[in-house]
Amino acid sequence: MTNQMKIGRVIRTVILLLIASGHIFTASAGQGEPQHSHGHDAESTHENHDEQHADSEEEGINVTETIMHHIKDAHDWHILDWDGHPVSLPLPIILWTEDGLVTGMSSAFHHDDHGHHVAEIGGQKFVKNHGHIYYASANANDHGQHLEIGQNDKGEDVVLNDAPLDLSITKNAASLIFSVFVILILFLGAAKAYRSNGVPKGLASFIEPLVVFMRDEVARPNIGEKRYAAFVPYLCTLFFFIWINNMLGLIPFIPGGANTTGNIAVTLVLAAFTLILVLVNSNGAYWKHIFWMPGVPVPVRLLLAPIELIGVFTKPFALMIRLFANMTAGHIVILSLISLIFIFETEFMAIASVPLTLFIFVIKVLVALLQAYIFALLTALFIGQAVAEDDHH
């Protein structure tokens, strides 16, 4: 092994250790301050909140709340906790209210004397509870900032306040926007290199093998020679978008740390795009094999037709769930392993917890690439089934 290879291996190991330690740092920051376990959303939801908060401190750290805080969306981008207070990057608040559009920054929210997370934006008063923004109810005892809590039929606490339409740029939305800029930089840089040199160099030499792989190993064999070229741009965009967002989610500090592809809304939109593309490009042979399969007895056709029709929608549904579940599960496993240190309240647990976390993290780097590939591959397969000629079904 050459010295350069040895140095490269050492550098990669150090980078992985730094990233893993970043996860430990961010998790310990959240563990150390349980009152901020909802990322600025630790406001009271009912009268005995203080008693419950005291009980939680006596019983220990609420690991579930801490983990859920790290994987869910938020109106600000948490950086660290300093001297017992969270330090966050404020993000734009955009609300469509009864009086029209109001805008502001998430830094406008603060805790009042009664523990409510309140803000006055555009002349209107709002209160935030567990990541959701509601109108503040008027109450003289609460200085006009009030969150009404009731119970549903199951006896669970529910918020009674009305809510405006929330169009805010949340952490996940900001991460998506950042990933778009990363993709533009990669592909525009590669295109510029080709125009200048005519041969792949620098950034283009990294992009070209991946694009060629998507064309020759994903699109061509699954869609077919006649139609594959039209879908290569979409498949490449899908692959790089998912991969880059997966990788950003593994970085525990800005501009990473957002569980974007672990958000069911994001994976739902990606799956919906695939479904629309399949439906728009499907031919008569595709629908013939769904509703009236050739070579099958009529009673069996009548039985299979509704099942095949349901399958048209369950295929993209499976894409949505697969990506969402795999990425969210990875975050939960990493944070759970780190939480063992705080559950057992001994630094000796780190001897087992940190190596296991590093091992899972390395696997998750592979899973980030694998899930992007699987999503693009299955999308190509579904498109290929929709555009295939009759003799290919």
Side-chain angles (χ1 to χ4, degrees):
M1 182 182 294
T2 65
N3 291 333
Q4 289 183 341
M5 294 177 63
K6 292 180 180 178
I7 294 173
R9 177 172 292 182
V10 171
I11 292 174
R12 288 193 296 270
T13 303
V14 171
I15 292 174
L16 288 174
L17 287 172
L18 287 174
I19 294 176
S21 64
H23 279 287
I24 296 175
F25 174 77
T26 53
S28 62
Q31 298 276 13
E33 291 296 327
Q35 67 269 28
H36 298 296
S37 60
H38 289 286
H40 295 295
D41 289 340
E43 63 278 354
S44 299
T45 57
H46 37 72
E47 293 180 356
N48 63 348
H49 170 81
D50 292 337
E51 295 178 2
Q52 290 185 347
H53 180 61
D55 291 340
S56 66
E57 288 185 331
E58 293 176 0
E59 295 173 359
I61 295 167
N62 191 326
V63 173
T64 302
E65 287 189 0
T66 302
I67 292 176
M68 293 306 296
H69 157 59
H70 282 281
I71 67 173
K72 72 176 186 178
D73 202 2
H75 285 92
D76 49 17
W77 212 319
H78 182 264
I79 301 174
L80 51 85
D81 286 296
W82 184 265
D83 194 23
H85 299 283
V87 178
S88 303
L89 175 67
L91 297 172
I93 298 292
I94 306 172
L95 304 173
W96 182 263
T97 70
E98 298 170 350
D99 298 329
L101 190 69
V102 297
T103 60
M105 298 297 291
S106 60
S107 55
F109 282 92
H110 63 280
H111 289 88
D112 64 7
D113 296 336
H114 300 273
H116 297 126
H117 205 201
V118 299
E120 183 171 342
I121 303 174
Q124 300 186 58
K125 295 179 180 179
F126 302 94
V127 59
K128 187 161 61 167
N129 178 262
H130 296 292
H132 300 285
I133 298 176
Y134 303 90
Y135 293 108
S137 298
N139 189 303
N141 295 329
D142 285 331
H143 306 289
Q145 312 288 344
H146 187 61
L147 185 66
E148 295 181 359
I149 300 296
Q151 289 188 332
N152 58 19
D153 296 337
K154 299 179 181 179
E156 300 170 335
D157 289 339
V158 293
V159 178
L160 301 179
N161 298 54
D162 292 331
L165 178 60
D166 193 351
L167 305 173
S168 304
I169 304 297
T170 61
K171 181 173 67 173
N172 282 347
S175 181
L176 283 175
I177 294 172
F178 178 80
S179 69
V180 170
F181 281 107
V182 172
I183 293 173
L184 288 174
I185 291 172
L186 288 175
F187 282 94
L188 293 178
K192 183 179 179 180
Y194 268 101
R195 285 195 300 266
S196 301
N197 305 315
V199 292
K201 289 184 178 180
L203 193 60
S205 64
F206 168 75
I207 298 294
E208 185 193 40
L210 296 173
V211 173
V212 171
F213 176 83
M214 294 298 298
R215 183 194 67 189
D216 295 341
E217 304 298 330
V218 175
R220 193 193 300 267
N222 290 289
I223 300 177
E225 288 288 342
K226 294 182 179 179
R227 301 291 301 276
Y228 83 93
F231 300 99
V232 170
Y234 173 73
L235 294 175
C236 286
T237 303
L238 194 63
F239 171 77
F240 280 96
F241 177 82
I242 295 174
W243 184 31
I244 289 173
N245 277 285
N246 287 349
M247 295 301 294
L248 285 174
L250 297 178
I251 303 174
F253 44 81
I254 289 180
N259 186 28
T260 307
T261 46
N263 186 304
I264 194 70
V266 174
T267 59
L268 170 62
V269 172
L270 294 176
F273 284 157
T274 294
L275 176 61
I276 293 171
L277 205 60
V278 168
L279 296 179
V280 169
N281 291 277
S282 58
N283 56 26
Y286 175 72
W287 294 107
K288 178 182 177 181
H289 282 77
I290 289 178
F291 291 110
W292 207 248
M293 294 73 70
V296 177
V298 172
V300 178
R301 291 179 181 180
L302 297 175
L303 178 65
L304 291 181
I307 297 175
E308 290 290 335
L309 181 60
I310 294 173
V312 173
F313 300 95
T314 56
K315 289 174 182 176
F317 179 80
L319 285 179
M320 173 187 72
I321 296 298
R322 180 185 289 106
L323 180 58
F324 160 74
N326 276 280
M327 300 316 299
T328 299
H331 286 282
I332 292 176
V333 169
I334 289 176
L335 292 169
S336 298
L337 289 172
I338 295 172
S339 297
L340 292 175
I341 302 172
F342 304 94
I343 293 174
F344 289 94
E345 298 181 348
T346 172
E347 61 272 16
F348 294 106
M349 182 55 64
I351 298 175
S353 179
V354 172
L356 281 174
T357 300
L358 181 60
F359 173 72
I360 296 298
F361 184 85
V362 172
I363 293 179
K364 204 166 185 307
V365 172
L366 175 62
V367 170
L369 176 61
L370 186 62
Q371 287 302 315
Y373 166 70
I374 291 175
F375 202 108
L377 176 66
L378 291 178
T379 296
L381 181 62
F382 299 155
I383 294 173
Q385 292 174 346
V387 303
E389 301 297 333
D390 190 43
D391 56 344
H392 291 158
H393 280 274

